[in-house]
């Protein structure tokens, strides 16, 4: 049996997945910092930017099942690489968007579809396949915590870029970070070990089984609530605080602290999930 290449080592796989989670979720949660300055630069109503973020979240959610199905068939690495490329392109084009339709297409459609394929949820699914069962819960908690660490890091980074270079250039710089995702995705290629004893269900049958399982419904409901309030707060809180006379730095750190405390909760939950049901 040939030796496993270094980039397929479990430690490298986990590190690459966590870096992807940090970048993709971190950049996404920094977009609210652009609501006021980008709208002022382009002469939009703030509702224009908020609409783009709303379209982005809807397509992120609607595209996720399809991205997951493709990842099951072709491997998470290819999906993450494609999603990361779309994500980076969308952020870069958003920096050049001057009209409402352009920002909805770039920041809404392209970034939303990119997030569906390149976000931490696909990383978590990859860990479930590529990491041993004994370390699986810990790895999933670590990936979730890494996404929140991205929020902690990129909120002040994004605000620093805006203050130093303006919102358009700041978006280009953030797109450069996202462009690293296709490179990092190479370590997460493959489908992992397939359980030959697991029955082969069609997508419709698998969804039917899931919808009859109370735990799935509770989990989906929890993600719905979480996704709604995090997307809403991260988009509108910075502009609200600055309108109230609070500095942009404090607005950025308010987002960062949400991420920091979620790091603690997510990582702790991952550890506990490996010990308790």
């Amino acid at each position: 049996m040939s030796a496993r290449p270094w980039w397929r080592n479990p430690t490298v796989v986990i590190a690459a997945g966590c870096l992807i989670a940090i970048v993709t979720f971190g950049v996404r949660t920094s977009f609210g910092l652009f609501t006021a300055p980008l709208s002022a630069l382009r002469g939009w109503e703030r509702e224009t930017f908020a609409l783009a973020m709303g379209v982005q979240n809807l397509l992120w959610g609607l595209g996720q099942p399809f991205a997951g199905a493709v990842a099951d068939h072709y491997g998470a690495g290819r999906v993450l690489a494609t999603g990361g490329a779309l994500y980076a392109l969308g952020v870069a084009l958003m920096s050049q968007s001057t009209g409402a339709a352009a920002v909805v297409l770039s920041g809404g459609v392209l970034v939303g579809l990119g997030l569906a394929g390149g976000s931490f949820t696909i990383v978590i699914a990859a860990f479930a396949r590529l990491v041993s069962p004994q370390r699986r819960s810990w790895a999933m908690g670590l990936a979730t915590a890494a996404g929140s660490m991205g929020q902690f890091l990129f909120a002040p980074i994004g605000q620093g870029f805006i203050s130093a270079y303006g919102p358009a250039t700041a978006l280009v710089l953030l797109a450069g970070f996202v462009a690293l995702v296709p490179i990092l995705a190479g370590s997460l290629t493959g489908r992992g070990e397939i359980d030959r004893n697991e029955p082969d269900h069609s997508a419709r049958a698998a969804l039917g089984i899931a919808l009859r399982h109370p735990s799935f419904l509770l989990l989906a409901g929890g993600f719905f609530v979480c996704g709604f309030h995090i997307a809403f707060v991260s988009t509108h809180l910075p502009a609200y605080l600055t309108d109230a006379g609070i500095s942009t730095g404090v607005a950025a750190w308010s987002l960062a602290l949400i991420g920091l405390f979620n790091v603690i909760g997510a990582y702790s939950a991952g550890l506990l999930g490996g010990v308790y049901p």
Side-chain angles (χ1 to χ4, degrees), residues 28-259:
R28 166 59 191 89
T29 52
S30 72
F31 286 156
L33 301 168
F34 292 84
T35 302
L38 193 63
S39 298
L41 177 66
R42 302 304 188 199
W44 301 324
E45 296 293 331
R46 292 184 186 177
E47 289 84 349
T48 299
F49 187 80
L51 174 63
M53 295 301 100
V55 170
Q56 178 190 111
N57 279 279
L58 286 172
L59 289 179
W60 182 4
L62 292 172
Q64 196 75 74
F66 299 98
V70 174
D72 281 342
H73 192 70
Y74 294 105
R78 295 180 183 181
V79 175
L80 287 167
T82 303
L86 280 176
Y87 188 174
L89 178 62
V91 177
L93 291 177
M94 186 162 56
S95 72
Q96 305 302 313
S97 299
T98 57
V103 74
V104 170
L105 179 61
S106 58
V109 176
L110 287 178
V111 174
L113 293 176
L115 280 164
S119 67
F120 72 98
T121 47
I122 299 295
V123 171
I124 290 174
F127 282 178
R129 289 277 192 172
L130 300 173
V131 177
S132 66
Q134 294 77 15
R135 304 181 71 191
R136 190 169 294 158
S137 178
W138 167 79
M140 289 180 175
L142 185 63
T144 307
S148 297
M149 179 57 72
Q151 181 173 345
F152 175 68
L153 295 174
F154 275 92
I157 289 173
Q159 185 56 54
F161 285 162
I162 293 170
S163 299
Y165 307 110
T169 302
L171 285 170
V172 174
L173 294 173
L174 291 178
F177 282 101
V178 181
L180 298 174
V181 172
I183 300 172
L184 295 168
S187 290
L188 283 84
T189 54
R191 298 176 57 194
E193 296 295 327
I194 305 299
D195 186 354
R196 302 298 178 185
N197 296 320
E198 183 178 338
D200 187 16
H201 295 294
S202 67
R204 177 179 295 182
L207 182 61
I209 294 170
L211 291 175
R212 292 191 296 271
H213 200 296
S215 292
F216 177 82
L217 297 176
L218 291 170
L219 183 64
F223 270 108
F224 180 89
V225 173
C226 174
F228 177 85
H229 83 260
I230 289 296
F232 187 89
V233 168
S234 64
T235 299
H236 296 288
L237 179 63
Y240 170 78
L241 292 176
T242 53
D243 285 348
I246 298 174
S247 71
T248 56
V250 172
W253 278 106
S254 68
L255 292 182
L257 288 175
I258 294 172

